[in-house]
Amino acid sequence: MRRPRKRRSGGFTYLSLIILVAIIGLVSASALKLGSVLQRSRAEQELLDIGAAFSDALQSYASATPAGFPPQPPSLKELLRDPRFPTVRRHLRKVFVDPMTGKAEWGITYLGDKVGVLAVYSLSDAKPVKIGNFPQRFQGLAGKQKISEWRFAASGGTLPVPGQAQQPGAVEVKPGAPVPGNPATPIPPAPPAPVAPPAQTPQPEPEPEPEVAPAPAPEEEKPAVEPPLEPAQR
């Protein structure tokens, strides 16, 4: 009678071991996931700090713009050393490494056909962990679906992503308005759209008057011809 009890006890111990291993696996997976989320959160916070540095550098460049010069730098290189001054003047100490991609490569939003840098953004298309509770200067980043939609412009403003609605705090440059930081260089307004001439209502054509046939000329009466008289019979 003792042997069956030992078998039941051994089976129960094996089942308990399987359950324990499963629980340890679930706990380990949750810990790894939590650690990954925390690492992503730290990387996103570092990206916000770097974006603030880019925003301050763009604003510093625009504020130091002499008369007659555009307020946007042609590239990020001009932020490292401003060529508009004879002495060394820096608005950014270095081009940072993107904490999301691990590379010192950044996306750039230009004014027009690469006329000047308007904003800098990460090339990562990952979904952000942080979707709200942003600092006041970055309120326009709330609700974005991709890290690459975090655009860092001058003064901490954010630019809207093409194809999406304007977010609060976004910087919008309208045609005809002066470029921020340099009122002497307005953006040319768009040409007015051609106005179509008013449609003309077709007038009905007048009906032709019926032709009246001329009355026939009266026939002339011919004189009656009397028959010749027969000679008298003799």
Side-chain angles (χ1 to χ4, degrees):
M1 299 298 292
R2 295 179 180 178
R3 291 180 181 178
R5 291 180 180 178
K6 290 182 179 181
R7 291 179 181 177
R8 292 178 182 176
S9 178
F12 180 76
T13 303
Y14 181 71
L15 181 60
S16 301
L17 181 60
I18 293 177
I19 295 176
L20 179 61
V21 171
I23 293 175
I24 293 175
L26 292 176
V27 172
S28 300
S30 301
L32 291 176
K33 185 176 181 180
L34 179 60
S36 177
V37 172
L38 293 176
Q39 185 178 2
R40 284 281 305 278
S41 298
R42 288 193 295 267
E44 292 178 5
Q45 183 58 48
E46 184 179 356
L47 177 61
L48 290 176
D49 296 338
I50 294 175
F54 277 125
S55 298
D56 294 340
L58 291 173
Q59 181 59 38
S60 176
Y61 185 95
S63 300
T65 300
F69 287 85
Q72 294 85 16
S75 65
L76 298 181
K77 181 177 65 176
E78 282 72 21
L79 297 178
L80 301 177
R81 182 167 183 174
D82 197 336
R84 302 173 298 178
F85 300 94
T87 57
V88 178
R89 187 161 185 174
R90 303 182 187 276
H91 306 282
L92 191 69
R93 59 186 179 87
K94 68 175 182 178
V95 177
F96 301 93
V97 175
D98 186 351
M100 306 303 300
T101 62
K103 300 179 181 179
E105 298 177 357
W106 297 88
I108 298 176
T109 301
Y110 288 96
L111 174 65
D113 188 12
K114 293 188 177 182
V115 176
V117 178
L118 283 180
V120 182
Y121 59 93
S122 172
L123 297 176
S124 174
D125 288 333
K127 186 176 181 179
V129 176
K130 186 179 183 62
I131 59 176
N133 196 22
F134 285 90
Q136 182 64 29
R137 65 187 303 183
F138 293 138
Q139 288 295 320
L141 304 181
K144 300 298 184 182
Q145 299 298 319
K146 297 180 180 179
I147 293 293
S148 58
E149 296 177 0
W150 290 8
R151 308 296 172 96
F152 303 102
S155 297
T158 56
L159 293 179
V161 179
Q164 295 187 357
Q166 179 93 1
Q167 296 293 338
V171 177
E172 180 181 2
V173 181
K174 298 181 179 179
V179 178
N182 191 358
T185 56
I187 300 176
V195 180
Q200 297 182 357
T201 305
Q203 299 292 335
E205 297 182 358
E207 298 182 357
E209 297 181 359
E211 296 181 358
V212 180
E219 297 181 357
E220 297 180 358
E221 297 182 358
K222 297 181 179 180
V225 179
E226 296 180 357
L229 297 177
E230 295 180 358
Q233 297 178 359
R234 296 179 179 178

